[in-house]
Amino acid sequence: MVKICCIGAGYVGGPTMAVIALKCPAIEVVVVDISEPRIAGWNSERLPIYEPGLDDVVRQCRGRNLFFSTEVHRHVGDADIVFVSVNTPTKTCGLGAGKAADLTYWESAARMIADVSRSDKIVVEKSTVPVKTAEAIEKILVHNSRGVRYQILSNPEFLAEGTAVQDLFAPDRVLIGGRETPEGRAAVARLRDVYAQWVPGDRIITTNLWSAELSKLAANAFLAQRISSVNAISALCEATGADVTEVAHSVGRDARIGPRFLSASVGFGGSCFQKDILNLVYICECYGLPEVAAYWREVIRINDHQKSRFVNRVVSSMFNTVAGKKIAVLGFAFKKDTGDTRETPAIDVCNGLLGDKAVISIYDPQVTGEQVSRDLAMNKFDWDHPRHLQPLSATDLAKQVAVAPDAYEAARDAHAVCILTEWDEFRTLDYKRMFDAMHKPAFIFDGRNVVDPAKLREIGFVVYAIGKPLDDWLKDMPAVA
Amino acid sequence: MVKICCIGAGYVGGPTMAVIALKCPDIEVVVVDISKPRIEAWNSDTLPIYEPGLDDVVKQCRGRNLFFSTDVEKHVAEADIIFVSVNTPTKTRGLGAGKAADLTYWESAARMIADVSKSDKIVVEKSTVPVKTAEAIEKILTHNSKGINYQILSNPEFLAEGTAIEDLFKPDRVLIGGRETPEGRKAVQALKDVYAHWVPEDRILTTNLWSAELSKLAANAFLAQRISSVNAISALCEATGANVTEVAYAVGKDTRIGPKFLNASVGFGGSCFQKDILNLVYICECNGLPEVANYWKQVIKINDYQKSRFVNRVVSSMFNTVAGKKIAVLGFAFKKDTGDTRETPAIDVCKGLLGDKAQISIYDPQVTEDQIQRDLAMNKFDWDHPMHLQPTSPTAVKQVSCVWDAYEATKGAHGLCILTEWDEFKTLDYQKIFDNMQKPAFVFDGRNIVDSEKLREIGFIVYSIGKPLDAWLKDMPAVA
């Protein structure tokens, strides 16, 4: 019986191993983690991660060929294939701070594997790592090997939050990178055989080790670039009277470009895009490629510019003064249908408005008030470190920020409403009712293009929507930082 | 009978009108131009533009409902719909030089239309123009209108050279932009009815006027950005031992990204990409959007970097000295299956090598020697102006020779640069080439068309864009 052990029971390791166990009944899969509460969560009725379909998959396999345990040493020692799925947070101090990936957890995992191994093993990089990490890991394993042989493979994940199980069942591709030696090729074939039990052969791509490592970063950079590009065009649309939805639709009809990821917005968020691009930028700098680093950095700069420009538009529209004015923020999650707020543009927009002394009332159907408070008190990338290292909530914020139970309460007596997450419920609100309870002039700033500007103007709102021809009111009050 | 007149018998106007005439037998189509030789060529058996399938289309309609004429004023006056398909060259001096589009021809076309019109007309922008050009044209027509109503529409083309007829027969989309007024909508519908003769309705997109103008520039910017992005990744692949073909394949498998336009190369060329992006950059600057301008400028910067870095790799590999050394250049066109050299990366690469005093021997199956010599003598964007305004070739560049086949080009050479992906370069007898070259013999593949392993077995030192480096090259880093 092939034994797989996965170090790290987080968002990547958990679902991936659950699906492998479901699809490969002949393989024993153990997910290990040093966090006892997390492992206890996986073994309970309430899994620590919510993903549609995950409950069902876990229930079918748990206790049969899927196990969750804190006995890390024992299960790593027993395994034939070890997946390393630990986190690689962005460094917040020292060399490469704000860009480079912190490989502390990775290095300690490698040392532990070397310590406990008694038989040859395939070690698979599953988490996102900088290019050439496999080489560093290999050195640690080889120099501590005591006769045991290791093959390092790279097998990055391409899951999107909210569709992880679906992405695992029917992936666009599974990528496996390995050394181009006979032993390396044998290891690649072994891992390929695991996936081949449910993934068609033509979707399993094998490359060299560095290509696989780089592909994960590159794919995320390409996706984020599409968003920044359409956001860059949205600024030009506002300046010229073009409509970004029309332009994006036309561009997307070109089969060489494709229509996905061409929705303009207040900015992209999520735990991957910014982190992976900054990582890519740092790697380019380390390899003496400043021109390439500058190229990818622009994707981040446009994202930051888009958020700044949105804030500037809000403030300038209201006579350059928002001090003491109540502004409603609808939506705090980085995208709809999730409670995830990592790198959400809402943080930057709210911080921008707070900097101008606005009073903010936030409503989001899924994000908790505690999370909002924590996010607004944190520095960049603090979210990527364990909870106990994160700072305590500041009390100062309490005066300027309130969390409302619903959209109407958030908007009551407000001067403006900012829509920052594309929740479906925001499309069908009773805006007439909302208008009646607001100060006049009443503004709507739609950062996700979910409302119909023409209808809202009929009600009496001054409307700003990203990338759309400007309301007359806004034309006369240019947002210049 | 609806009458269409197209001003400008160039690469855009000619094929487009020919296809409209073919698909709409009940519409009379006249293509006019002030260039008599060009019009005569359209009326002859040797058309002035080569595109697969074009001859056949023209022959079926010419004399029936497709006509080519220099009698511009007469046909413009009689037309219901006027397409303006004149060139918009990049300015080479004055405000916006090197970026802004020169609208001289456009403005004079508008004034001529106003002068000769006796009935209401729909005026359609067909050539690529900066955003808001329609507004300027509208002002000229309105202020000279003498009671005639004009509706300005934008209907940009999305043709790729080499597949123009195919693109016209089965477009990804036809884009029509117009004013959002009752009269504007009616004009849009009239033009839509023309295309609906052969294009499915769901592929005919209608937008506001400015969206249509911007969409053409944006689409080309997005395409060029894909190439620059994979080229940027190729530099990192060389530094890390990754393989750009593998990375691009894995990235392209993501259906949100798609696999097209992800081939790394020595750089993109062609008359559209650089010109349209620089135009976009200029428009952003004029509208007070420096951050957006910088963003798109990076696409050009990486393209320039890719060409520079290729040259640096060639020179540094040969002990930082190429003075007096013969270097063969295979391929001069900006892409295969064309004789078009506009903005070809080969120009920049050759100039880079000439700057280091190399002797260059160039072979391209379709590009003429005269064209090559002219290109190497010209400044940027001179090609975009009428031939009589281009500089007469000074005496031929002494360091450059143009030869008739690849084996002659590589005879006695130290290095060989592949700059265009012509199919014939994939099947050359590289052993024969190797035997006749100075040693060590280098191949610099700017298009990833050769099999590096096979060439290394023969004895070459091989550099391919974005591939793990040959041991020789690793020890000689290319640092400018």
Side-chain angles (χ1 to χ4, degrees):
Chain A
M1 168 176 258
V2 175
K3 289 188 178 182
I4 288 177
C5 178
C6 176
I7 302 173
Y11 167 77
V12 173
T16 306
M17 295 304 122
V19 170
I20 290 179
L22 179 72
K23 299 294 190 177
C24 311
I27 297 180
E28 179 188 290
V29 180
V30 186
V31 183
V32 298
D33 201 298
I34 56 176
S35 166
E36 181 140 335
R38 176 170 279 182
I39 291 296
W42 279 106
N43 281 320
S44 75
E45 290 305 289
R46 281 212 56 193
L47 303 182
I49 281 159
Y50 171 71
E51 278 289 330
L54 182 58
D55 269 21
D56 186 50
V57 173
V58 170
R59 254 182 230 123
Q60 288 186 62
C61 311
R62 195 169 53 191
R64 183 189 79 186
N65 65 326
L66 176 64
F67 304 92
F68 298 90
S69 170
T70 52
E71 287 189 62
V72 179
H73 288 199
R74 180 184 137 219
H75 291 295
V76 169
D78 289 349
D80 302 298
I81 301 176
V82 181
F83 282 82
V84 184
S85 193
V86 299
N87 194 21
T88 53
T90 302
K91 292 180 79 176
T92 50
C93 52
L95 192 65
K99 294 183 216 154
D102 182 342
L103 296 179
T104 303
Y105 306 117
W106 247 101
E107 187 174 337
S108 64
R111 290 185 186 280
M112 181 268 294
I113 293 169
D115 281 351
V116 305
S117 294
R118 299 290 178 269
S119 55
D120 293 355
K121 293 192 193 313
I122 295 171
V123 177
V124 184
E125 279 175 352
K126 179 51 95 170
S127 22
T128 306
V129 294
V131 190
K132 293 294 203 179
T133 295
E135 192 165 292
I137 298 312
E138 203 172 56
K139 282 180 169 124
I140 291 172
L141 293 172
V142 169
H143 283 273
N144 293 276
S145 72
R146 284 171 269 153
V148 174
R149 284 177 308 195
Y150 301 97
Q151 285 302 319
I152 318 300
L153 301 181
S154 174
N155 174 222
E157 53 83 17
F158 293 101
L159 312 177
E161 278 192 45
T163 59
V165 174
Q166 179 181 285
D167 292 339
L168 285 161
F169 278 176
D172 276 345
R173 79 285 207 199
V174 171
L175 181 55
I176 305 173
R179 287 284 194 183
E180 285 164 334
T181 61
E183 297 83 6
R185 275 190 261 269
V188 167
R190 194 129 180 245
L191 184 56
R192 183 187 192 126
D193 289 344
V194 171
Y195 284 108
Q197 297 194 54
W198 81 98
V199 181
D202 65 300
R203 292 193 186 194
I204 303 179
I205 303 170
T206 61
T207 68
N208 81 35
L209 200 35
W210 323 127
S211 296
E213 286 182 332
L214 183 49
S215 293
K216 173 64 195 298
L217 295 179
N220 276 344
F222 268 81
L223 287 169
Q225 185 180 58
R226 289 173 72 94
I227 299 175
S228 281
S229 294
V230 73
N231 281 347
I233 294 292
S234 74
L236 187 53
C237 287
E238 289 169 34
T240 60
D243 180 327
V244 75
T245 301
E246 292 181 334
V247 175
H249 183 233
S250 169
V251 167
R253 288 295 290 267
D254 189 320
R256 300 167 297 181
I257 300 171
R260 306 279 290 283
F261 269 59
L262 291 182
S263 298
S265 72
V266 64
F268 61 72
S271 61
C272 290
F273 287 153
Q274 173 145 291
K275 178 178 167 180
D276 283 358
I277 294 180
L278 287 171
N279 197 356
L280 184 62
V281 167
Y282 184 67
I283 291 166
C284 293
E285 287 166 351
C286 292
Y287 279 105
L289 300 168
E291 295 89 348
V292 178
Y295 179 76
W296 290 113
R297 198 182 292 121
E298 282 295 319
V299 176
I300 300 293
R301 282 177 66 170
I302 283 289
N303 202 46
D304 289 341
H305 175 247
Q306 188 79 337
K307 292 181 277 190
S308 294
R309 147 176 124 68
F310 185 87
V311 171
N312 290 342
R313 181 70 72 185
V314 174
V315 177
S316 67
S317 302
M318 294 194 268
F319 319 104
N320 281 321
T321 305
V322 294
K325 289 177 178 171
K326 181 179 178 183
I327 296 178
V329 167
L330 302 188
F332 200 85
F334 82 90
K335 64 176 182 177
K336 69 172 178 172
D337 298 340
T338 184
D340 194 339
T341 61
R342 291 177 287 179
E343 293 301 321
T344 178
I347 293 175
D348 300 274
V349 171
C350 289
N351 280 330
L353 295 173
L354 292 170
D356 247 303
K357 300 181 172 58
V359 174
I360 296 178
S361 182
I362 298 168
Y363 167 64
D364 186 287
Q366 270 197 41
V367 179
T368 65
E370 184 198 8
Q371 182 68 56
V372 169
S373 296
R374 186 182 309 117
D375 285 338
L376 293 177
M378 262 196 275
N379 294 318
K380 281 277 175 181
F381 291 121
D382 275 351
W383 56 260
D384 212 1
H385 290 269
R387 184 65 56 95
H388 67 275
L389 294 179
Q390 293 177 14
L392 301 174
S393 306
T395 50
D396 304 338
L397 277 176
K399 294 176 203 144
Q400 278 178 274
V401 180
V403 174
D406 68 30
Y408 303 107
E409 186 59 34
R412 184 193 305 277
D413 292 326
H415 290 254
V417 170
C418 297
I419 300 173
L420 301 183
T421 311
E422 72 279 24
W423 288 101
D424 292 336
E425 72 174 81
F426 298 156
R427 292 172 200 265
T428 54
L429 291 169
D430 181 348
Y431 284 98
K432 173 66 187 172
R433 171 182 165 190
M434 191 171 283
F435 178 79
D436 290 343
M438 290 175 70
H439 280 286
K440 313 301 190 296
F443 297 84
I444 298 259
F445 299 96
D446 184 359
R448 296 287 175 172
N449 286 336
V450 302
V451 298
D452 182 338
K455 280 185 187 171
L456 295 197
R457 286 184 182 119
E458 281 169 30
I459 291 173
F461 284 105
V462 177
V463 183
Y464 166 73
I466 298 263
K468 300 298 172 98
L470 294 178
D471 193 288
D472 286 341
W473 176 285
L474 302 174
K475 268 182 195 167
D476 295 335
M477 305 185 76
V480 182
Chain B
M1 166 177 260
V2 175
K3 289 189 177 181
I4 288 177
C5 178
C6 176
I7 303 174
Y11 166 77
V12 172
T16 305
M17 295 304 122
V19 170
I20 290 179
L22 179 72
K23 299 293 190 178
C24 312
D26 57 328
I27 296 180
E28 180 188 289
V29 180
V30 186
V31 183
V32 298
D33 201 297
I34 56 176
S35 166
K36 185 180 278 251
R38 175 171 280 182
I39 291 296
E40 280 171 355
W42 277 107
N43 281 320
S44 77
D45 279 350
T46 307
L47 304 182
I49 282 158
Y50 171 72
E51 278 289 329
L54 179 59
D55 267 21
D56 188 50
V57 173
V58 170
K59 274 173 196 144
Q60 287 186 63
C61 311
R62 195 170 54 190
R64 183 189 78 185
N65 65 324
L66 175 64
F67 304 92
F68 298 89
S69 169
T70 52
D71 201 341
V72 179
E73 300 194 349
K74 175 190 158 214
H75 292 296
V76 166
E78 288 172 4
D80 302 298
I81 301 176
I82 302 170
F83 284 82
V84 184
S85 192
V86 299
N87 194 20
T88 52
T90 302
K91 292 180 80 175
T92 48
R93 63 183 68 83
L95 193 64
K99 294 183 213 154
D102 182 343
L103 297 178
T104 303
Y105 307 117
W106 246 102
E107 187 175 336
S108 65
R111 290 185 186 280
M112 182 267 295
I113 293 169
D115 281 351
V116 306
S117 293
K118 300 293 187 275
S119 56
D120 293 356
K121 294 191 191 311
I122 295 170
V123 177
V124 184
E125 281 175 351
K126 179 49 95 170
S127 21
T128 305
V129 294
V131 190
K132 294 293 203 179
T133 294
E135 192 166 292
I137 299 311
E138 205 171 56
K139 283 182 169 122
I140 291 171
L141 293 172
T142 298
H143 283 274
N144 293 277
S145 73
K146 291 170 265 170
I148 294 169
N149 295 307
Y150 298 99
Q151 285 303 318
I152 318 300
L153 300 181
S154 174
N155 174 222
E157 55 84 16
F158 294 101
L159 311 178
E161 278 192 45
T163 59
I165 299 299
E166 188 183 335
D167 294 338
L168 285 161
F169 278 179
K170 275 189 180 167
D172 275 347
R173 79 285 207 197
V174 171
L175 180 57
I176 304 173
R179 287 285 194 182
E180 284 162 335
T181 61
E183 298 82 6
R185 275 189 261 269
K186 195 173 161 192
V188 167
Q189 188 60 49
L191 185 56
K192 186 168 184 173
D193 289 343
V194 171
Y195 283 109
H197 278 72
W198 81 97
V199 181
E201 194 121 346
D202 65 298
R203 292 193 185 197
I204 304 180
L205 313 182
T206 61
T207 69
N208 82 34
L209 202 35
W210 323 128
S211 296
E213 286 182 333
L214 183 49
S215 291
K216 172 64 193 300
L217 296 179
N220 276 344
F222 268 81
L223 287 169
Q225 185 180 60
R226 289 173 73 92
I227 299 175
S228 281
S229 294
V230 73
N231 281 347
I233 293 292
S234 74
L236 187 53
C237 287
E238 289 170 34
T240 60
N243 179 330
V244 75
T245 301
E246 293 179 335
V247 175
Y249 182 69
V251 168
K253 276 288 206 169
D254 188 322
T255 55
R256 300 168 298 181
I257 300 172
K260 297 294 183 48
F261 269 58
L262 291 182
N263 291 325
S265 72
V266 63
F268 61 72
S271 61
C272 291
F273 286 153
Q274 174 142 293
K275 177 179 169 179
D276 283 359
I277 294 180
L278 287 170
N279 197 356
L280 184 62
V281 167
Y282 184 67
I283 291 165
C284 293
E285 287 167 351
C286 291
N287 280 282
L289 299 167
E291 295 90 349
V292 178
N294 281 334
Y295 180 76
W296 291 112
K297 206 178 284 166
Q298 281 290 340
V299 176
I300 300 293
K301 279 184 168 180
I302 283 288
N303 202 47
D304 289 341
Y305 168 69
Q306 189 79 337
K307 292 180 277 189
S308 293
R309 126 180 140 73
F310 185 87
V311 171
N312 290 342
R313 181 69 72 186
V314 173
V315 176
S316 68
S317 301
M318 296 195 261
F319 318 105
N320 281 320
T321 305
V322 294
K325 289 176 177 170
K326 180 178 177 182
I327 296 179
V329 168
L330 302 188
F332 199 86
F334 83 90
K335 65 177 182 177
K336 69 172 177 171
D337 298 340
T338 184
D340 194 338
T341 61
R342 291 177 286 180
E343 293 301 320
T344 179
I347 293 175
D348 299 273
V349 171
C350 289
K351 286 188 175 181
L353 295 172
L354 292 170
D356 247 303
K357 300 182 171 59
Q359 298 284 323
I360 297 180
S361 183
I362 299 170
Y363 166 63
D364 185 288
Q366 270 197 41
V367 180
T368 65
E369 171 166 10
D370 185 48
Q371 182 69 55
I372 290 172
Q373 293 290 356
R374 186 183 310 118
D375 285 340
L376 293 175
M378 262 197 277
N379 294 318
K380 281 274 174 182
F381 292 122
D382 275 351
W383 56 260
D384 211 1
H385 291 269
M387 187 83 39
H388 70 275
L389 293 180
Q390 291 179 18
T392 44
S393 307
T395 49
V397 184
K398 295 186 202 110
Q399 295 158 256
V400 176
S401 63
C402 300
V403 296
W404 55 91
D405 77 16
Y407 303 106
E408 184 61 31
T410 55
K411 185 175 304 193
H414 289 253
L416 127 61
C417 299
I418 300 172
L419 301 184
T420 310
E421 71 278 24
W422 288 101
D423 292 336
E424 72 174 81
F425 298 155
K426 302 179 189 184
T427 54
L428 292 170
D429 181 348
Y430 283 98
Q431 178 67 53
K432 175 179 169 183
I433 289 178
F434 179 80
D435 291 342
N436 288 305
M437 287 178 71
Q438 303 280 351
K439 312 300 190 294
F442 298 84
V443 172
F444 301 95
D445 184 358
R447 296 286 176 173
N448 284 338
I449 61 173
V450 298
D451 182 335
S452 307
E453 286 315 306
K454 283 183 185 171
L455 295 199
R456 287 188 178 112
E457 281 166 28
I458 290 173
F460 284 107
I461 295 169
V462 183
Y463 166 72
S464 291
I465 298 264
K467 300 298 173 83
L469 295 178
D470 193 288
W472 175 284
L473 301 174
K474 265 183 198 168
D475 294 336
M476 305 186 77
V479 183

